[in-house]
Amino acid sequence: MPKTDIQFLEDRLSMMETEGWRDLVQDLENIEKNVRDIDTLLDVKDLWNAKGQLYMINFLLSLYTTTNLALEELQDGNPT
């Protein structure tokens, strides 16, 4: 039986409660600070590389918030 959307989101939130997830978020925040330092960029290729890194970092750092919002919307639409 396939997993429901609500179960998927609840499982994701459970994953984010682990120490490993908190460690990953801390590492990503440190990497983000280094990537944002434009003094380290040598050329346009470095700029595009940094942009891609920041896109993925921001996606992961915002995942908790977006997951909570999606779960709230689903639960509001599905009275239990």
Side-chain angles (χ1 to χ4, degrees), residues 7-19 21-22 64 67:
Q7 184 62 48
F8 174 82
L9 295 171
E10 288 173 345
D11 288 348
R12 182 183 284 176
L13 289 174
S14 293
M15 174 193 67
M16 293 178 193
E17 293 173 359
T18 66
E19 190 65 31
W21 182 262
R22 287 187 286 273
Y64 182 80
T67 301

CSV table of all heavy atoms in Angstrom, one decimal, residues 7-19 21-22 64 67:
chain,number,residue,atom,x,y,z
A,7,GLN,N,1.5,10.9,5.7
A,7,GLN,CA,2.5,10.0,6.3
A,7,GLN,C,3.9,10.3,5.8
A,7,GLN,O,4.9,10.3,6.6
A,7,GLN,CB,2.2,8.5,6.0
A,7,GLN,CG,3.2,7.5,6.7
A,7,GLN,CD,3.1,7.6,8.2
A,7,GLN,OE1,2.1,7.6,8.8
A,7,GLN,NE2,4.3,7.7,8.8
A,8,PHE,N,4.0,10.6,4.5
A,8,PHE,CA,5.3,11.0,3.9
A,8,PHE,C,5.8,12.3,4.7
A,8,PHE,O,7.0,12.3,5.0
A,8,PHE,CB,5.1,11.3,2.4
A,8,PHE,CG,6.3,11.9,1.8
A,8,PHE,CD1,7.4,11.1,1.3
A,8,PHE,CD2,6.5,13.3,1.6
A,8,PHE,CE1,8.5,11.6,0.7
A,8,PHE,CE2,7.6,13.8,1.0
A,8,PHE,CZ,8.6,13.0,0.6
A,9,LEU,N,5.0,13.3,4.8
A,9,LEU,CA,5.4,14.5,5.5
A,9,LEU,C,5.8,14.3,7.0
A,9,LEU,O,6.7,14.8,7.5
A,9,LEU,CB,4.4,15.6,5.3
A,9,LEU,CG,4.1,16.1,3.9
A,9,LEU,CD1,2.9,17.0,3.8
A,9,LEU,CD2,5.4,16.7,3.3
A,10,GLU,N,5.0,13.5,7.7
A,10,GLU,CA,5.3,13.2,9.1
A,10,GLU,C,6.6,12.4,9.2
A,10,GLU,O,7.3,12.6,10.1
A,10,GLU,CB,4.1,12.4,9.7
A,10,GLU,CG,2.9,13.2,9.9
A,10,GLU,CD,1.7,12.4,10.4
A,10,GLU,OE1,1.6,11.2,10.2
A,10,GLU,OE2,0.7,13.0,10.9
A,11,ASP,N,6.8,11.5,8.3
A,11,ASP,CA,8.1,10.8,8.3
A,11,ASP,C,9.3,11.7,8.1
A,11,ASP,O,10.3,11.6,8.7
A,11,ASP,CB,8.1,9.7,7.2
A,11,ASP,CG,7.2,8.5,7.6
A,11,ASP,OD1,6.8,8.4,8.7
A,11,ASP,OD2,7.0,7.6,6.7
A,12,ARG,N,9.1,12.7,7.2
A,12,ARG,CA,10.2,13.6,6.9
A,12,ARG,C,10.4,14.5,8.2
A,12,ARG,O,11.6,14.7,8.5
A,12,ARG,CB,9.8,14.6,5.8
A,12,ARG,CG,10.9,15.6,5.4
A,12,ARG,CD,10.5,16.5,4.3
A,12,ARG,NE,10.5,15.9,3.0
A,12,ARG,CZ,10.1,16.4,1.9
A,12,ARG,NH1,9.6,17.7,1.9
A,12,ARG,NH2,10.2,15.8,0.8
A,13,LEU,N,9.4,14.9,8.8
A,13,LEU,CA,9.6,15.7,10.1
A,13,LEU,C,10.2,14.8,11.2
A,13,LEU,O,11.1,15.4,11.9
A,13,LEU,CB,8.2,16.2,10.6
A,13,LEU,CG,7.6,17.3,9.7
A,13,LEU,CD1,6.2,17.7,10.2
A,13,LEU,CD2,8.5,18.6,9.7
A,14,SER,N,9.9,13.6,11.2
A,14,SER,CA,10.6,12.7,12.2
A,14,SER,C,12.1,12.6,11.9
A,14,SER,O,12.9,12.6,12.8
A,14,SER,CB,10.0,11.3,12.2
A,14,SER,OG,8.6,11.3,12.6
A,15,MET,N,12.4,12.5,10.6
A,15,MET,CA,13.8,12.5,10.3
A,15,MET,C,14.5,13.8,10.7
A,15,MET,O,15.7,13.8,11.2
A,15,MET,CB,14.0,12.4,8.7
A,15,MET,CG,15.4,12.5,8.2
A,15,MET,SD,15.5,12.7,6.5
A,15,MET,CE,14.8,14.3,6.2
A,16,MET,N,13.8,14.9,10.6
A,16,MET,CA,14.4,16.2,11.0
A,16,MET,C,14.6,16.4,12.5
A,16,MET,O,15.2,17.4,12.9
A,16,MET,CB,13.6,17.3,10.3
A,16,MET,CG,13.7,17.3,8.8
A,16,MET,SD,12.7,18.6,8.2
A,16,MET,CE,12.6,18.2,6.5
A,17,GLU,N,14.0,15.5,13.3
A,17,GLU,CA,14.2,15.6,14.7
A,17,GLU,C,15.4,14.9,15.2
A,17,GLU,O,15.8,15.0,16.4
A,17,GLU,CB,13.0,15.0,15.4
A,17,GLU,CG,11.7,15.8,15.2
A,17,GLU,CD,10.5,15.1,15.7
A,17,GLU,OE1,10.6,14.0,16.2
A,17,GLU,OE2,9.4,15.7,15.6
A,18,THR,N,16.2,14.3,14.3
A,18,THR,CA,17.4,13.5,14.7
A,18,THR,C,18.6,14.4,14.9
A,18,THR,O,18.7,15.5,14.3
A,18,THR,CB,17.7,12.4,13.7
A,18,THR,OG1,18.1,13.1,12.5
A,18,THR,CG2,16.5,11.5,13.4
A,19,GLU,N,19.5,14.0,15.7
A,19,GLU,CA,20.8,14.7,15.9
A,19,GLU,C,21.5,14.8,14.6
A,19,GLU,O,22.2,15.9,14.3
A,19,GLU,CB,21.6,14.0,16.9
A,19,GLU,CG,22.8,14.8,17.4
A,19,GLU,CD,22.5,16.1,18.1
A,19,GLU,OE1,21.4,16.1,18.8
A,19,GLU,OE2,23.2,17.0,18.0
A,21,TRP,N,20.3,15.2,11.5
A,21,TRP,CA,19.8,16.3,10.8
A,21,TRP,C,20.2,17.6,11.3
A,21,TRP,O,20.6,18.5,10.5
A,21,TRP,CB,18.2,16.2,10.7
A,21,TRP,CG,17.7,17.3,9.9
A,21,TRP,CD1,17.2,18.5,10.3
A,21,TRP,CD2,17.6,17.3,8.5
A,21,TRP,NE1,16.8,19.2,9.3
A,21,TRP,CE2,17.0,18.5,8.1
A,21,TRP,CE3,17.9,16.4,7.5
A,21,TRP,CZ2,16.7,18.9,6.8
A,21,TRP,CZ3,17.6,16.7,6.1
A,21,TRP,CH2,17.1,18.0,5.8
A,22,ARG,N,20.2,17.8,12.6
A,22,ARG,CA,20.7,19.0,13.2
A,22,ARG,C,22.1,19.3,12.8
A,22,ARG,O,22.5,20.4,12.6
A,22,ARG,CB,20.4,19.0,14.7
A,22,ARG,CG,18.9,19.2,15.0
A,22,ARG,CD,18.7,19.4,16.5
A,22,ARG,NE,18.9,18.2,17.3
A,22,ARG,CZ,17.9,17.3,17.5
A,22,ARG,NH1,16.7,17.5,17.0
A,22,ARG,NH2,18.1,16.2,18.2
A,64,TYR,N,12.4,22.0,6.5
A,64,TYR,CA,11.6,21.9,7.7
A,64,TYR,C,10.3,22.8,7.6
A,64,TYR,O,9.2,22.3,7.9
A,64,TYR,CB,12.4,22.2,8.9
A,64,TYR,CG,11.7,21.9,10.2
A,64,TYR,CD1,11.5,20.7,10.7
A,64,TYR,CD2,11.1,23.0,10.9
A,64,TYR,CE1,10.8,20.5,11.9
A,64,TYR,CE2,10.4,22.8,12.1
A,64,TYR,CZ,10.2,21.6,12.6
A,64,TYR,OH,9.5,21.4,13.7
A,67,THR,N,7.9,21.7,4.8
A,67,THR,CA,7.2,20.5,5.2
A,67,THR,C,6.1,20.7,6.2
A,67,THR,O,5.0,20.2,6.1
A,67,THR,CB,8.3,19.4,5.7
A,67,THR,OG1,9.3,19.2,4.7
A,67,THR,CG2,7.6,18.1,6.1
